[in-house]
Amino acid sequence: MSVSGWEQLAFVVVVTAVAAPLLGRYLAATFRGTVSVSGTESESGGAGKKGAPGDRVFLPVERLVYRTLGVDPESSWTWRAYALAVLAFGLLSTLLLYAILRLQGVLPGNPTHAPGMPQPLSFNTAISFITGTNWQAYEGETQASYLADTVGLVVAQFTAAGVGLAVALAVVRGIAGKARTIGNFWVDLTRSLVRVFAPLSVLSALVMVSQGAVQNLSGFRTAATLAGGSQKIPGGLVASMEAIKLLGTNGGSYYGVGGAHPFENPTGFTNSFDLLIVIVLPFAIVLMFGHLIGRPRQGYAIVAVMAIIFVGHTVVSMQAELHGNHLLPTPVSQVASGVSPGGNMAGKENRFGPEASALMTVGTMGTTACATDSALDSYTPVGGTGSFVAILLGEISPGGDGGGLYSILVLALLSVFVAGLMVGRTPEFLGKKIRATQMKLVVTYVLTIPTTVLILGSTSLVIAAGTRSILNPGLHGLTEVTYAYASVANNNGSAFAGLAANTPWYDTTLGLTMLIGRFAPIVLALAIAGSLAGARVHARTRATLDTAGPTFIAFLLGVIVIVGGLIYFPMLILGPIGERIIG
Amino acid sequence: MTAGQVIPGDGDVVEGMAVVDESAITGESAPVIRESGGDRSAVTGGTVVLSDRVVVQITSDPGETFLDRMIALVEGASRQKTPNEIALDILIAGLTLILLVAVVTLQPMAIYDKAIQSTAVLVALFVCLAPTTIGGLLSAIGIAGMDRMVQRNVLAMSGRAVEAAGDCSTLLLDKTGTITYGNRMAAEFLPVAGITEAELAEAALLSSTADETPEGRSIVELAEDRYQLALPGLTGAELVPFSAQTRMSGVDLAGRQVRKGAADSVRRWVTDVGGVIPDDLAPIVERIAAGGGTPLVVADGPRVLGVIHLKDTVKEGMVERFSELRDMGIRTVMITGDNPLTAKAIAAEAGVDDFLAEATPEQKLVGSALLGQEFTDSKGNPLPQYFQPRPSAAGAGYDASSSSATNLGPSNPLLIGFVAGVNTVGLNGQPSATNPFATKADPACVPTDPKGNPVTSPAPGQKYAKASDGSYVCDPNTIPQRAIAYRAFNGLAANASVPVDAVTASGSGLDPDISVQNALDQAPRVARARHLAVSQVAALVHRYTQGRQWGFLGEPTVNVLKLNLALDGVS
């Protein structure tokens, strides 16, 4: 990696290291009233008896919402009720969004005259945005009306983020709390949206606009080019969508090319800024977890694991992209210098260069954001593998808003279990014993996504409906297909865009995969939380395994890499790794 | 077993003492001492005797020694799965499943890549991927755990036990002998007003000379150490040893009767010999008891001298050990049969988290209120301090597993003896008018042969047991003989009337009751034996008399067991 590459990485690390703890404290203060861990807090999942920051501004808004919905903010639910609420909310919002997309041709707010979205595409898109995947098989500029964008897709991006954080809070309450109930879904969702995502999005959008990102209501404007031709320049409410796209770790961009589009990502700073607002919140949520359970050290330990994986796959990709494509003929210089970005510039923007592009793209790949600023399909095999591995490890570096936390907590339970067996005591996490019941749920959780990805991916590779969409021949094509399924199963949404995914086969199967990949882990995580809720907390003794120490950090890393690696290694060999070896 | 031999199985040392190398079990090569008696008598199969000679009684069956159990653990012999094993099974099953999917889905991908894999390759891949080694974890952990525990002199009998040991949350401990040294040691002499400590100490020493119990010895030690008293010469002294009945011990020497014992026993004895109990005795006794100690009152004849304070000392280092346990999250509870005051004091001193006092080992089964039992000494002689039940023909006497009556007919000489005009026979076995075997005491005497069997059909040449004065030895089980014995035992006049139930065996042989008259006849003897007033005993008899049921059914009876228990002051 070049000096500037290290500098850019260092910049991101330092800013995150400063911002995440601060944001974490704010989040903990906001949600502390709803989590009863130390026993001194209120036992219900109520709307907080103690004051949280910003109460004067936010509380009236929240109360209005509760009154409108007819919700009792003091009530706290069992895991089943909570899961049911999440699923019901998801179903209703999907249907609503589906309707908007199908009818957008006749609805107002359509200056670009986008027609109503055809059936399989709307099914896929609606599910995609509600689940936070933001897999866009459609062309943003032409196939989505402004109304659909703002009222439909952007709202979906907000709620997806809110649901993620709400579920994470419920899981925290179950795993670490004293109450038998795990909270109130409406309160969690409302609080997340009102106090976290709304304010932060507004701030971020303003920053982007200051840098030149587009935010207007004009439709296409025709420009007469200098050479005498014409160019239709699209307008749009770009910055606002950008903000929540990134902040909410959604990734669904206004433009089909995502962050590569200059209207979205005009400067080198916005590139870094985009990356930062993607990763800071998930890290902060983990630190919030540590504060809420009264063990900040535990939060830092988990952040350490996430950070190690993050730096790992990012650095590997940056290096690979800088090295460039060795298949290019030698007269093409890929040497990086002050006058040329060098490296693998295919599919990358000049204002970013290979390293910054890799940093941003692969960096966000560890969250469910997939906010790419370059074409993944054009990445070198190793560079592409960096992205792939980030996804395959389960989106825990640092993962989506809330999703990253509960994913890594489940993996922590798995690690604690194996470590506990080696130590010879009944495994316990945060004082609660991990028994067969929990293990069944943990194992199911760990199995669900890989099974879906492998079965659907391999099927697509042998049926014509699947192979027809592949752009690149050979092993790269295999990577296109398997990447697609892995990406949507983990609610990432990025794609090797060479895959023509807007076919009935892919729309349907990918849509189903998104549903499974989002709601199965949610329900299972809530079930685990429910099975641990109200369980007896054992006092910390000399012989308890320290889940915040360096040994456990290393152990957790090991478990994540080995379990993920074992499952996906054959697939990777037949895909990107094989491509590198024989290419 | 002698030096150099390997002990063949788990057992107990019954004779001797030896040095044993237990490294086969503990891995510790420093030898240990195993000796008979005490708690170091257990030996394990596979260990080597290094010196001396011991006799070991093998207590385990072949194939069930400690080593065998460890081997069985490794072999995974059938036993219930521990919770951790079940959870581990789930994990391994899940991982295996997903790896199976990974291998199976590999083929379609390989097909796309135009690199179809042979089944052999896929199977080999699966074998490599499948998690197997992790399954060997639990057995290895179990053995390692058992080994570690054995090094600390704790035998774990299974892997599950090791797991459970790690999950221990509460520890129940016995008091005497576990938390305390178990031997109540004399701590101080507390005289009553007007008596010096030295005088009390001398009397205590004197009264404890015959006392073989550790308490007695500790009293002797304390008197010798602290007061520099020497053990007095005991020629001509009559030693009164400690017994559980009297709860006193002492010595009669040169006209003095020195006694020490439980407060109430000594009080009673002193009042019996005409002494007066000083007022300040009770407070001293109570103070000692409240402090967790045992008070022993000392009296010299009618004079109460003072109290010996026996302390059951808590072992050293207990407080530290209990706080260590607390740090580990283990709660300690002390269980003892002692009274609550003593238990509370000891619990506070030792630092246990909680205690349970007056626990009884399972409420000791004394007998059944519905079945009679014997009150005889080991030779079968009736004990004078207890009310005696009816004669019994159940086995050797009140054998509850073989209830029986005598089934003797009313004219059977075995029942009524040889009564003239009824069943008397002559020496030749022919009916005769008089009883040739009659003795001065018993005209109806039935003779016995030299072996003690009654002879009811005399024949010529029959040998008879004869007393030193030439008279026949009579069979004691006839009613006349029983009556004679009854009168003698209870101090009744030679011709006194004897209640019939006292000389007849019951139908079951297990009748628990005696008649009220029977009890009243025995009362004076019991009162004498227990140094109680006759009126006291009679009152007790009346208290335990059960009238006719509903006023008219059955007969009034006195339950012997309940009465005797009341006498002992336990019920």
Side-chain angles (χ1 to χ4, degrees):
Chain A
M1 258 171 41
S2 71
V3 173
S4 74
W6 284 116
E7 280 173 357
Q8 291 182 86
L9 179 64
F11 173 67
V12 168
V13 169
V14 166
V15 173
T16 309
V18 169
L22 292 173
L23 192 54
R25 260 180 243 273
Y26 169 73
L27 291 171
T30 305
F31 291 105
R32 194 181 301 280
T34 67
V35 180
S36 63
V37 171
S38 60
T40 60
E41 321 290 349
S42 64
E43 286 296 324
S44 72
K49 305 231 177 355
K50 301 216 163 83
D55 265 348
R56 246 175 327 165
V57 177
F58 297 126
L59 218 43
V61 178
E62 289 173 13
R63 293 227 177 90
L64 183 63
V65 173
Y66 301 143
R67 255 205 309 275
T68 322
L69 288 176
V71 166
D72 171 18
E74 301 297 311
S75 63
S76 181
W77 306 348
T78 62
W79 78 265
R80 276 177 233 269
Y82 205 102
L84 213 57
V86 171
L87 292 173
F89 183 75
L91 180 66
L92 284 174
S93 9
T94 309
L95 290 173
L96 192 60
L97 183 55
Y98 178 79
I100 293 176
L101 290 170
R102 293 281 275 137
L103 299 172
Q104 67 181 353
V106 301
L107 288 172
N110 195 358
T112 52
H113 305 293
M117 225 186 250
Q119 204 290 92
L121 189 57
S122 347
F123 171 80
N124 183 296
T125 310
I127 293 178
S128 165
F129 274 75
I130 295 298
T131 57
T133 311
N134 289 211
W135 168 269
Q136 289 169 298
Y138 69 96
E139 271 274 315
E141 300 93 312
T142 55
Q143 287 185 291
S145 70
Y146 285 14
L147 180 82
D149 266 339
T150 45
V151 173
L153 301 176
V154 169
V155 170
Q157 288 180 320
F158 271 100
T159 58
V163 167
L165 185 49
V167 171
L169 284 167
V171 169
V172 168
R173 287 187 200 111
I175 288 182
K178 290 194 161 196
R180 305 207 77 129
T181 53
I182 57 173
N184 187 319
F185 174 64
W186 303 118
V187 169
D188 291 340
L189 182 63
T190 312
R191 263 205 161 189
S192 313
L193 292 174
V194 169
R195 296 200 189 217
V196 181
F197 293 107
L200 289 175
S201 304
V202 169
L203 290 171
S204 312
L206 288 173
V207 170
M208 286 182 207
V209 167
S210 76
Q211 292 286 300
V214 163
Q215 184 80 3
N216 60 47
L217 287 167
S218 44
F220 282 105
R221 291 204 327 212
T222 317
T225 60
L226 275 178
S230 70
Q231 184 185 46
K232 269 166 73 170
I233 299 178
L237 299 157
V238 178
S240 51
M241 187 172 189
E242 269 310 283
I244 187 57
K245 154 198 160 188
L246 297 162
L247 204 60
T249 59
N250 292 294
S253 163
Y254 189 85
Y255 299 109
V257 293
H261 202 291
F263 278 2
E264 244 186 57
N265 198 352
T267 65
F269 171 72
T270 52
N271 197 34
S272 296
F273 182 72
D274 283 357
L275 173 62
L276 282 168
I277 59 175
V278 168
I279 62 174
V280 165
L281 191 53
F283 277 120
I285 289 174
V286 174
L287 293 173
M288 168 196 84
F289 162 72
H291 288 304
L292 285 178
I293 63 171
R295 301 188 201 206
R297 227 176 123 245
Q298 182 71 68
Y300 286 117
I302 296 181
V303 162
V305 173
M306 292 176 162
I308 291 173
I309 300 177
F310 172 85
V311 170
H313 58 61
T314 315
V315 166
V316 164
S317 293
M318 286 168 82
Q319 176 56 34
E321 292 308 299
L322 181 65
H323 186 78
N325 188 348
H326 68 279
L327 296 172
L328 292 185
T330 17
V332 176
S333 166
Q334 298 186 93
V335 175
S337 65
V339 293
S340 165
N344 179 15
M345 282 305 293
K348 296 199 181 48
E349 304 291 296
N350 251 6
R351 61 188 178 283
F352 306 140
E355 284 171 316
S357 304
L359 175 58
M360 197 275 190
T361 301
V362 181
T364 61
M365 212 55 74
T367 74
T368 56
C370 74
T372 56
D373 65 353
S374 38
L376 270 176
D377 227 341
S378 304
Y379 269 56
T380 61
V382 176
T385 309
S387 290
F388 213 165
V389 166
I391 297 174
L392 291 175
L393 286 180
E395 294 293 5
I396 35 94
S397 54
D401 290 333
L405 179 62
Y406 60 75
S407 298
I408 206 169
L409 282 179
V410 172
L411 289 167
L413 288 180
L414 180 64
S415 314
V416 158
F417 180 74
V418 178
L421 287 177
M422 290 184 183
V423 167
R425 277 170 72 102
T426 307
E428 57 179 61
F429 186 64
L430 302 178
K432 297 192 180 178
K433 300 250 184 232
I434 310 298
R435 297 230 152 88
T437 328
Q438 285 82 34
M439 278 323 290
K440 281 195 203 122
L441 295 166
V442 165
V443 166
T444 314
Y445 187 104
V446 171
L447 288 194
T448 310
I449 290 175
T451 318
T452 319
V453 169
L454 287 171
I455 292 180
L456 284 175
S458 56
T459 316
S460 299
L461 285 168
V462 289
I463 61 172
T467 51
R468 236 179 320 186
S469 302
I470 299 176
L471 175 66
N472 289 295
L475 276 61
H476 202 91
L478 187 145
T479 315
E480 278 180 10
V481 172
T482 49
Y483 189 91
Y485 283 103
S487 160
V488 303
N490 285 284
N491 297 126
N492 182 290
S494 61
F496 274 38
L499 186 71
N502 190 4
T503 67
W505 168 254
Y506 280 110
D507 275 337
T508 322
T509 51
L510 290 173
L512 284 173
T513 313
M514 282 186 248
L515 281 177
I516 295 173
R518 171 71 161 175
F519 291 114
I522 282 183
V523 171
L524 287 166
L526 288 173
I528 293 173
S531 80
L532 286 171
R536 189 178 140 211
V537 176
H538 296 262
R540 184 98 188 257
T541 69
R542 260 194 329 224
T544 312
L545 180 70
D546 181 12
T547 50
T551 321
F552 186 71
I553 292 174
F555 199 76
L556 178 57
L557 262 176
V559 167
I560 292 172
V561 169
I562 291 172
V563 172
L566 279 178
I567 297 172
Y568 291 116
F569 201 61
M571 186 181 83
L572 288 174
I573 289 277
L574 291 173
I577 300 179
E579 189 190 343
R580 179 69 183 89
I581 295 175
I582 57 178
Chain B
M1 316 257 11
T2 52
Q5 291 186 309
V6 177
I7 299 177
D10 297 351
D12 276 322
V13 176
V14 294
E15 190 191 308
M17 179 178 94
V19 179
V20 176
D21 175 8
E22 294 204 325
S23 55
I25 305 290
T26 63
E28 177 64 59
S29 55
V32 294
I33 296 192
R34 294 280 175 255
E35 57 187 346
S36 64
D39 55 12
R40 282 201 288 196
S41 63
V43 287
T44 320
T47 56
V48 181
V49 177
L50 289 178
S51 75
D52 301 303
R53 175 186 172 278
V54 278
V55 178
V56 175
Q57 181 177 29
I58 301 293
T59 54
S60 68
D61 294 324
E64 283 176 25
T65 64
F66 181 67
L67 269 179
D68 289 321
R69 263 191 280 254
M70 269 177 74
I71 295 169
L73 181 72
V74 178
E75 287 175 347
S78 67
R79 58 170 176 81
Q80 238 186 356
K81 278 193 185 285
T82 70
N84 277 352
E85 279 185 330
I86 296 173
L88 183 65
D89 279 351
I90 295 170
L91 174 64
I92 295 182
L95 285 179
T96 311
L97 203 63
I98 185 56
L99 291 168
L100 190 62
V101 170
V103 169
V104 165
T105 55
L106 190 127
Q107 191 67 297
M109 295 190 206
I111 292 172
Y112 174 84
D113 273 0
K114 310 221 185 1
I116 301 180
Q117 301 299 313
S118 67
T119 322
V121 168
L122 290 177
V123 170
L125 178 63
F126 178 67
V127 167
C128 290
L129 286 174
T132 46
T133 325
I134 201 171
L137 255 184
L138 278 189
S139 296
I141 292 169
I143 296 177
M146 284 171 85
D147 183 59
R148 281 184 143 217
M149 292 183 85
V150 159
Q151 284 174 20
R152 279 156 181 71
N153 297 323
V154 177
L155 279 185
M157 306 309 261
S158 68
R160 195 193 197 315
V162 176
E163 270 181 50
D167 289 339
C168 175
S169 66
T170 312
L171 191 62
L172 302 176
L173 293 159
D174 179 42
K175 174 178 85 73
T176 314
T178 309
I179 298 183
T180 66
Y181 281 107
N183 301 330
R184 287 175 295 183
M185 316 284 271
E188 53 181 348
F189 295 122
L190 298 164
V192 294
I195 310 288
T196 61
E197 260 186 60
E199 200 181 342
L200 172 61
E202 190 255 346
L205 176 59
L206 205 58
S207 68
S208 306
T209 338
D211 198 345
E212 283 297 305
T213 61
E215 288 86 354
R217 277 186 253 150
S218 78
I219 294 174
V220 169
E221 240 177 72
L222 181 66
E224 282 176 344
D225 288 340
R226 209 183 285 178
Y227 299 92
Q228 270 81 50
L229 296 172
L231 210 56
L234 290 171
T235 44
E238 188 187 317
L239 302 174
V240 180
F242 181 86
S243 79
Q245 277 104 31
T246 57
R247 294 192 293 153
M248 275 194 329
S249 71
V251 73
D252 289 343
L253 173 65
R256 291 168 72 187
Q257 284 181 308
V258 185
R259 297 282 184 273
K260 75 157 200 308
D264 52 338
S265 310
V266 176
R267 271 204 200 102
R268 225 189 350 251
W269 182 81
V270 165
T271 21
D272 271 355
V273 296
V276 171
I277 311 292
D279 288 330
D280 56 345
L281 180 66
I284 299 179
V285 168
E286 263 154 40
R287 192 161 40 87
I288 294 178
T294 305
L296 286 184
V297 177
V298 181
D300 184 351
R303 281 192 317 151
V304 171
L305 296 180
V307 188
I308 307 172
H309 180 181
L310 292 183
K311 253 179 85 121
D312 195 0
T313 28
V314 174
K315 286 184 185 166
E316 272 173 34
M318 275 293 134
V319 182
E320 290 78 31
R321 228 168 280 182
F322 286 137
S323 71
E324 262 178 65
L325 284 172
R326 230 184 319 259
D327 281 341
M328 281 162 54
I330 298 178
R331 193 168 150 258
T332 45
V333 178
M334 179 181 86
I335 307 209
T336 174
D338 240 337
N339 66 79
L341 278 178
T342 314
K344 188 162 173 210
I346 299 282
E349 190 185 333
V352 290
D353 294 315
D354 205 350
F355 70 93
L356 190 72
E358 286 183 336
T360 43
E362 332 94 319
Q363 183 63 315
K364 199 173 129 201
L365 186 64
V366 177
S368 165
L370 296 174
L371 299 180
Q373 59 179 241
E374 301 214 293
F375 290 91
T376 55
D377 63 14
S378 49
K379 295 194 196 70
N381 300 322
L383 291 164
Q385 68 265 36
Y386 286 117
F387 281 90
Q388 294 299 312
R390 299 177 60 182
S392 162
Y398 285 96
D399 182 353
S401 57
S402 54
S403 56
S404 173
T406 58
N407 295 316
L408 295 171
S411 59
N412 195 320
L414 289 172
L415 182 73
I416 60 172
F418 283 128
V419 177
V422 179
N423 52 12
T424 42
V425 288
L427 279 162
N428 55 1
Q430 296 303 314
S432 99
T434 55
N435 184 9
F437 309 106
T439 64
K440 198 152 150 263
D442 181 13
C445 180
V446 171
T448 56
D449 66 14
K451 288 204 199 72
N453 302 319
V455 178
T456 49
S457 330
Q462 174 77 45
K463 297 252 181 337
Y464 297 101
K466 291 245 175 78
S468 48
D469 63 352
S471 60
Y472 290 100
V473 175
C474 306
D475 171 34
N477 291 319
T478 61
I479 289 180
Q481 274 293 317
R482 285 186 185 144
I484 292 170
Y486 184 80
R487 291 185 197 107
F489 191 54
N490 291 310
L492 301 173
N495 284 323
S497 158
V498 167
V500 61
D501 69 307
V503 292
T504 49
S506 57
S508 61
L510 302 171
D511 192 339
D513 303 316
I514 52 179
S515 63
V516 180
Q517 184 60 53
N518 192 344
L520 289 175
D521 278 345
Q522 297 188 53
R525 176 202 87 224
V526 172
R528 255 197 314 278
R530 287 174 178 263
H531 305 291
L532 297 169
V534 180
S535 51
Q536 245 181 311
V537 177
L540 212 55
V541 168
H542 287 297
R543 196 152 81 216
Y544 282 89
T545 301
Q546 189 142 30
R548 292 198 163 99
Q549 199 165 18
W550 301 348
F552 67 97
L553 294 170
E555 294 294 317
T557 54
V558 180
N559 187 299
V560 178
L561 179 58
K562 282 189 188 162
L563 179 59
N564 281 330
L565 282 172
L567 273 174
D568 277 349
V570 176
S571 81

